[in-house]
Amino acid sequence: MRIERERTAALVIDFQELLVPAVMDYEELMKRVRIFLKGLKLLGIPMTVTQQYTKGLGMSVPEIWEASGETEYVDKTSFSAFRAVEPLIQGKKYILVCGMEAHCCVLQTVIDLAGAGYVPVLVTDCIGSRREADLETAVKRAGQEGALLTTYEAVLLELLGTSETPLWKDILKLIK
């Protein structure tokens, strides 16, 4: 099944001030996330940024705002972002998911998306957890629950679809 650009939205889950530094290899993770979000912005994919209990965990890190171009967020207290973002993704089929922590908010969102009939697309190199076992298990479980598993480069190129577009050079600059 091919992911179609016009039927796609993205969720950027909980890249917050107190969470980001706690995950494994967070600096490398954030490099990949920045590229991914910049690519989505170029492709015109609508993005929704969520924050888990902002009062306690802080705002999304500046890299998220800079790369996505978003200026607002959806605050939530449920681990799953689904209920909070459902009105914003209606009419879309494919929901790209990146964020943290993989085994909690990301996984529960993916499960709820699949349960509601969406096709969750887990961008596996743009998710993080504090422990490797949690990350690996979350990816496995997400696949079992019906998520498509991909990487940021693969999905950006799939959404682009061809090198015969002016966006090709812009996307190529990002991923090289």
Side-chain angles (χ1 to χ4, degrees):
M1 144 183 1
R2 185 170 301 275
I3 302 166
E4 303 161 328
R5 189 184 329 176
E6 61 280 350
R7 299 178 72 194
T8 299
L11 298 180
V12 183
I13 299 175
D14 306 348
F15 285 101
Q16 291 167 261
E17 295 164 330
L18 293 181
L19 292 176
V20 170
V23 302
M24 297 181 316
D25 303 320
Y26 76 90
E27 290 169 337
E28 287 301 312
L29 171 64
M30 292 311 297
K31 284 180 189 176
R32 293 187 299 270
V33 170
R34 279 192 298 273
I35 294 167
F36 177 55
L37 297 182
K38 286 178 180 180
L40 293 179
K41 186 177 172 185
L42 283 170
L43 293 168
I45 302 297
M47 292 178 260
T48 300
V49 174
T50 70
Q51 294 180 179
Q52 176 72 23
Y53 183 60
T54 304
K55 183 178 174 184
L57 296 174
M59 293 295 292
S60 296
V61 295
E63 296 95 327
I64 295 301
W65 304 117
E66 293 163 12
S68 70
E70 295 299 311
T71 58
E72 297 182 13
Y73 65 91
V74 174
D75 200 22
K76 63 186 186 65
T77 54
S78 293
F79 294 132
S80 172
F82 178 69
R83 294 265 181 255
V85 302
E86 186 178 18
L88 303 171
I89 61 172
Q90 287 182 354
K92 301 297 183 180
K93 178 177 180 178
Y94 305 96
I95 309 300
L96 307 174
V97 179
C98 66
M100 56 186 57
E101 280 193 75
H103 61 287
C104 184
C105 296
V106 170
L107 179 60
Q108 289 184 37
T109 301
V110 164
I111 291 169
D112 287 347
L113 286 165
Y118 292 92
V119 178
V121 181
L122 185 61
V123 185
T124 60
D125 56 353
C126 289
I127 60 174
S129 286
R130 290 168 287 135
R131 291 179 293 278
E132 189 172 346
D134 288 329
L135 180 65
E136 291 171 358
T137 302
V139 171
K140 241 183 245 182
R141 171 92 187 270
Q144 292 169 344
E145 295 289 345
L148 299 178
L149 307 178
T150 192
T151 63
Y152 78 85
E153 185 172 327
V155 77
L156 289 177
L157 293 173
E158 185 173 348
L159 291 167
L160 186 63
T162 180
S163 63
E164 295 177 349
T165 170
L167 288 175
W168 163 241
K169 288 183 180 179
D170 295 328
I171 295 295
L172 185 60
K173 284 179 197 172
L174 283 176
I175 63 177
K176 275 196 153 188

